[in-house]
Amino acid sequence: MARIGIQLMMLKEHVAEEGILPVLQRVKDTGFDVVEVSQIPMNEENVAGMVTARQDLGIEYAAISAKTSAPADSEELTLEKDFDLHVEHARRLGTDLIRIGMMPMSAMASQEAFDAFALEADGYARRMAEASLQLSYHNHHIEFAKLGGVTLLDQLREKAPNLRYEIDCHWVQRGGKDPERTHAEFDGILDLVHLKDYRIVMPPAEVLDAAAGGDRSAFGEYWGGGIVQFAEVGEGTLEWKRVIDQGIASGARYLLIEQDQTYGRDIFESLAMSRQHLVTLGFEPLITG
């Protein structure tokens, strides 16, 4: 059975301030016991705390995250230099899924740079398979840009045939595609889904007042970007019942609530709102297990 949980990235500041175990206790108290780990330092203290949460709280880890490479002076773990450590972490946390959260910015520089990234990612996917793990790639909207008339996402599927996928519904929508249809297109290679709503908001009064006074610059900036927001599941425009049903039909094992910004709302309140909407849609068994 597929499970619904949350992306731990949203709580990274809480983890830094409170520690991993208290935060995972709060996650449990909010009604979730499945998490995906991203942007949480995978040092021994945090990993050990996650292991304890698995044993004592029943926390289940959908996936952990990886980067292919990082700047030479970076202390971040990468598949390039820490491949075996990623495998160790996955096994300690009881997951067989590792996900690449984003291509390196350097891969966006040219067709040749993107091709090199695709080849590198496919190599890591093959090595993961040899270790009985699966490597997935998480999209943003940039993957719907075209080089030579073909989207980067379609090129990645062709040039990295061993790679699997995590489809982020908000970023698909922002890239001009339909999440439900995209899930169908990734049937059989879809392991993970990000449940992130897509909200359109009205311009605030100060922007409209400035435009009425003759200064349209703020309105232009807002019109170009601020009108689109990340949202709690059910607070935006996506049709979640159809999107989730298709994701599961296409093979998704985990569907993770994620919200990059909450615009002043407490993140735990946002998570509770998303959970309640999913319960209303009949997905409570996927949350509670």
Side-chain angles (χ1 to χ4, degrees), residues 260-278:
D260 298 43
Q261 297 180 50
T262 59
Y263 311 96
R265 178 174 282 146
D266 179 80
I267 182 58
F268 285 100
E269 180 184 355
S270 291
L271 287 173
M273 291 172 62
S274 293
R275 187 186 192 284
Q276 182 55 50
H277 185 72
L278 292 168

Side-chain angles (χ1 to χ4, degrees), residues 2-4 34 60-63 97 191-193 252-256:
R3 296 294 313 277
I4 290 177
V34 173
E60 179 178 346
Y61 297 95
L97 299 178
D191 287 330
L192 302 155
V193 169
R253 293 164 55 188
Y254 294 98
L255 304 99
L256 296 314

Side-chain angles (χ1 to χ4, degrees), residues 208-247:
L208 295 175
D209 290 344
D215 179 5
R216 296 179 60 87
S217 60
F219 182 85
E221 291 178 9
Y222 196 83
W223 190 262
I227 271 179
V228 177
Q229 290 188 350
F230 305 102
E232 294 80 7
V233 175
E235 294 296 310
T237 62
L238 298 184
E239 298 183 25
W240 285 111
K241 182 68 168 62
R242 293 166 50 185
V243 168
I244 292 172
D245 284 348
Q246 183 59 62

Side-chain angles (χ1 to χ4, degrees), residues 3-4 7-9 27 33 46 51 63 69 72 82 97 103 125 147 198 205 215 222 231 247 255 280-281 283 286:
R3 296 294 313 277
I4 290 177
Q7 229 292 3
L8 206 55
M9 175 275 291
V27 169
D33 55 21
N46 283 340
V51 171
S69 59
D82 305 293
L97 299 178
M103 75 177 82
L147 288 175
Y198 182 98
D215 179 5
Y222 196 83
L255 304 99
T280 300
L281 294 178
F283 292 115
L286 276 63

